[in-house]
Amino acid sequence: MTPDKIRNIAIIAHVDHGKTTLVDGLLRASGNFRENQAIAERAMDSMDLEREKGITIKAKNTSVHWNDYIINIVDTPGHADFGGEVERVMKMVDGVMLVVDAYEGPQAQTRFVLKKALEQGIKPIVLINKMDRPHIEPQKVHDKVLELFLELDATEEQFNAAFVYGSARAGWVTDSPTGEQHDMTFLLGKIVEHIPAPKAEVEGCFEMLVSNIDWDNFVGRVAIGKVTRGSVKLGDKVFLLGKTPEEKAIPVKVTKVFQYTTLTTSDSVEGIAGDIVGISGFEDVDIGQTVAGSADAVALPFVAIDPPTIVMQ
Ligand code: GDP
């Protein structure tokens, strides 16, 4: 597996425009749903508060294995209170799928997350969703999205985003509002075609920026991030670089490597360049730290996160 067979994508949308339904649809269509089902449910809807309030609080993830490709799908919080977290997600991915309700059109959170993505130079694919709804005007919504791109200073490449129309709930997508309907794997093809492969060096000293932390009952803290160079496997000795150049690197023996998205593991899982994985073995590790194969490696640029303020309605 090489980086050209990997795609790392975030799905961004205003609340209720269909992110969760879309991810379920993609998992089902690719045949990954059964094995991932419990995990996907947990991953996409795990926090009670989120269920109650209908807002995505923590970036969460899943992955689709399709036609020799690994497509890592990173969920993003749409709420402005999680600005820092959105930025961290944008650093991990190479493209976004912007989901917009064909009836409602772009809303406040559409604008907020799209702005973050465009600022990072990320290329979007736009899915005009809920095409099965009555009284929709997809062409108008298409134009509104393009207006938003202009307002947010999209580059020419970003502005020329691919548009796809469909119904995540009914499980079909098409190239144009009146075009032929295809199953959801069509969308996976669009992702592979339009989203660039991750920029990562296969050879060289292992390097990963910790972008998220999870917890596993057996191994404790799991540091999650994109492998930007080299690879990592069970038993490797790596270094957790200090938070400042003065702070010493701490040697760490890797006790597990997790396929990040499903947070499943086997002893043979290897974190390869371009993929997003979880690794354990740390006594302590924070988001923003770099894990590297050498104590002398240079820390990757850090994106601080704002403490989340949860606004109760
Ligand atoms: P999220 O908040 O973006 O994750 O949105 P959900 O996936 O939870 O969807 C919000 C609501 O919209 C749910 O009631 C879904 O069943 C509904 N929904 C999602 N996709 C579609 C669609 O393609 N068509 C219609 N009519 N409803 C949809």
Side-chain angles (χ1 to χ4, degrees):
M1 177 66 71
T2 45
D4 63 309
K5 292 288 186 187
I6 300 173
R7 296 293 181 276
N8 298 315
I9 183 168
I11 303 198
I12 59 178
H14 188 75
V15 65
D16 275 348
H17 281 198
K19 260 195 309 195
T20 313
T21 310
L22 174 66
V23 172
D24 284 355
L26 291 175
L27 284 173
R28 244 188 222 110
S30 61
N32 291 166
F33 196 72
R34 209 161 291 154
E35 96 191 45
N36 281 357
Q37 187 167 27
I39 293 136
E41 277 169 10
R42 196 186 69 199
M44 299 308 289
D45 195 19
S46 61
M47 296 172 77
D48 289 338
L49 187 63
E50 175 178 340
R51 260 200 294 272
E52 281 164 26
K53 296 293 165 195
I55 56 171
T56 304
I57 287 161
K58 222 172 154 239
K60 289 167 279 88
N61 326 281
T62 193
S63 80
V64 172
H65 293 229
W66 176 75
N67 276 7
D68 288 348
Y69 286 90
I70 296 179
I71 302 172
N72 292 318
I73 301 172
V74 186
D75 190 18
T76 35
H79 207 275
D81 290 338
F82 306 103
E85 185 155 1
V86 175
E87 273 162 20
R88 276 198 288 106
V89 169
M90 294 307 156
K91 296 254 183 224
M92 269 204 296
V93 300
D94 308 287
V96 294
M97 181 166 294
L98 176 68
V99 180
V100 184
D101 187 317
Y103 181 79
E104 286 193 356
Q107 299 293 314
Q109 290 169 31
T110 316
R111 184 189 183 93
F112 169 73
V113 280
L114 180 63
K115 182 166 186 281
K116 298 276 181 200
L118 295 178
E119 278 170 3
Q120 298 289 330
I122 285 173
K123 202 176 160 188
I125 294 179
V126 182
L127 171 67
I128 309 287
N129 189 34
K130 307 201 187 182
M131 288 291 289
D132 58 294
R133 284 184 77 169
H135 315 301
I136 51 165
E137 291 182 278
Q139 196 53 50
K140 226 165 135 181
V141 170
H142 174 282
D143 292 346
K144 283 218 167 118
V145 172
L146 287 183
E147 268 170 41
L148 192 55
F149 276 29
L150 283 179
E151 280 171 39
L152 298 174
D153 290 328
T155 63
E156 197 177 329
E157 200 197 0
Q158 289 171 327
F159 189 78
N160 290 328
F163 273 72
V164 189
Y165 304 78
S167 168
R169 191 152 83 182
W172 57 262
V173 277
T174 126
D175 261 327
S176 72
T178 51
E180 190 195 339
Q181 296 180 1
H182 308 272
D183 72 24
M184 298 303 278
T185 57
F186 185 73
L187 208 50
L188 298 174
K190 289 279 175 192
I191 293 171
V192 166
E193 183 188 349
H194 292 283
I195 302 300
K199 285 187 200 80
E201 296 168 48
V202 177
E203 301 294 334
C205 178
F206 171 67
E207 179 189 83
M208 178 185 113
L209 179 69
V210 180
S211 297
N212 214 342
I213 308 267
D214 212 307
W215 179 266
D216 178 87
N217 284 340
F218 295 100
V219 294
R221 286 187 156 218
V222 181
I224 295 169
K226 178 162 79 173
V227 178
T228 42
R229 194 171 54 216
S231 63
V232 65
K233 60 183 185 322
L234 174 76
D236 280 359
K237 188 176 166 194
V238 295
F239 294 85
L240 180 64
L241 302 188
K243 290 177 197 162
T244 60
E246 294 75 41
E247 216 176 275
K248 267 185 79 182
I250 299 166
V252 175
K253 189 160 186 231
V254 176
T255 53
K256 284 272 182 219
V257 178
F258 294 79
Q259 273 181 326
Y260 142 88
T261 48
T262 52
L263 283 184
T264 51
T265 180
S266 71
D267 290 352
S268 63
V269 172
E270 190 179 4
I272 56 160
D275 202 4
I276 301 176
V277 294
I279 55 182
S280 64
F282 306 92
E283 227 159 74
D284 200 12
V285 53
D286 274 329
I287 287 172
Q289 284 192 273
T290 299
V291 185
S294 154
D296 303 325
V298 179
L300 292 159
F302 172 76
V303 186
I305 49 165
D306 313 326
T309 333
I310 296 157
V311 182
M312 299 293 175
Q313 283 113 359

